Amino acid sequence: GAGVSQSPSNKVTEKGKDVELRCDPISGHTALYWYRQSLGQGLEFLIYFQGNSAPDKSGLPSDRFSAERTGGSVSTLTIQRTQQEDSAVYLCASSLQGGSGGSYEQYFGPGTRLTVT
Amino acid sequence: EDQVTQSPEALRLQEGESSSLNCSYTVSGLRGLFWYRQDPGKGPEFLFTLYSAGEEKEKERLKATLTKKESFLHITAPKPEDSATYLCAVQASNDYKLSFGAGTTVTVRA
């Protein structure tokens, strides 16, 4: 079946511009996650959505970052007034269920490589 | 805070030369330990989940094991196509996010 898809695959933007990154999770997966992978660093958790519950935004690095999930499916990560330190690969993952109900494998998309010049 | 440390950072193997990767972790109650494979320019690909000490899982030339403090990923008779970065992650009890190690980059020469 179709996996997690992300768009665009690459994005080059100028410092100070806003960008939107899109994630389409696996059909039927209720949990959706955003992570960031910077050069030489491990994957860093950003935000988590579970069904219709309020998202956990505890991993967002600043208030320039925001995300929404419409209709319990597609998610958009928005970065306002981009800075050079925002350059990274942004990865989206989905799982059957999150929360404390059990451990479910997270399946990752191919990522969006963001370069801020 | 959950911590995951992987070693070595890089591993160069000859085809057929078996080896092991280490993942040491500290977590306030382990819900699951995950192994992923990541190829350049791609997202992590799920390999295994381990839930309790003593558990083992196998897939082709890969075998993952778990103790209370660490996990090992054994690569038996590797082939060049096993070249990738292998990531270890933990999920704590009553949590959902994964905490990742920095990864081990494996290069297998023919």
Side-chain angles (χ1 to χ4, degrees):
Chain A
V4 177
S5 61
Q6 293 186 244
S7 61
S9 55
N10 282 284
K11 177 71 176 179
V12 180
T13 190
E14 293 180 351
K15 177 182 173 181
K17 300 284 189 182
D18 297 351
V19 294
E20 286 189 349
L21 313 179
R22 177 188 167 102
C23 171
D24 280 279
I26 293 172
S27 177
H29 281 193
T30 59
L32 186 147
Y33 313 76
W34 284 96
Y35 293 84
R36 178 169 72 174
Q37 188 171 32
S38 303
L39 193 62
Q41 296 189 8
L43 275 81
E44 170 192 16
F45 166 77
L46 296 176
I47 188 168
Y48 158 75
F49 295 90
Q50 170 57 43
N52 296 320
S53 303
D56 178 349
K57 307 177 183 180
S58 61
L60 295 179
S62 79
D63 58 8
R64 296 185 296 103
F65 288 71
S66 64
E68 63 177 17
R69 189 178 185 191
T70 54
S73 182
V74 172
S75 177
T76 303
L77 177 69
T78 301
I79 309 174
Q80 296 179 309
R81 305 181 302 281
T82 52
Q83 304 295 312
Q84 288 188 330
E85 60 262 29
D86 299 334
S87 295
V89 176
Y90 289 82
L91 291 158
C92 175
S94 69
S95 67
L96 269 176
Q97 183 174 330
S100 58
S103 177
Y104 292 86
E105 296 83 20
Q106 296 181 20
Y107 295 90
F108 285 81
T112 293
R113 181 175 297 278
L114 175 66
T115 304
V116 182
T117 61
Chain B
E1 184 177 329
D2 305 333
Q3 287 197 332
V4 181
T5 303
Q6 292 188 246
S7 62
E9 291 184 10
L11 189 60
R12 293 177 63 85
L13 301 172
Q14 197 69 34
E15 184 172 5
E17 178 188 2
S18 301
S19 189
S20 295
L21 284 58
N22 178 266
C23 171
S24 299
Y25 65 91
T26 55
V27 63
S28 54
L30 180 70
R31 180 177 301 283
L33 184 141
F34 301 78
W35 282 98
Y36 286 85
R37 167 190 172 128
Q38 187 173 27
D39 292 302
K42 296 189 176 181
E45 173 190 347
F46 171 76
L47 293 174
F48 304 109
T49 309
L50 301 168
Y51 295 101
S52 57
E55 189 174 2
E56 299 182 352
K57 287 193 177 175
E58 289 188 67
K59 180 180 180 179
E60 296 181 351
R61 294 176 294 281
L62 301 177
K63 178 180 177 180
T65 62
L66 180 66
T67 72
K68 289 186 178 180
K69 294 184 178 180
E70 57 191 351
S71 176
F72 292 93
L73 184 66
H74 308 277
I75 310 178
T76 302
K79 298 182 177 181
E81 53 262 43
D82 294 323
S83 297
T85 296
Y86 291 86
L87 299 170
C88 172
V90 297
Q91 184 180 53
S93 298
N94 298 317
D95 202 352
Y96 32 77
K97 70 178 184 294
L98 297 180
S99 297
F100 282 85
T104 294
T105 299
V106 175
T107 304
V108 183
R109 297 165 291 174

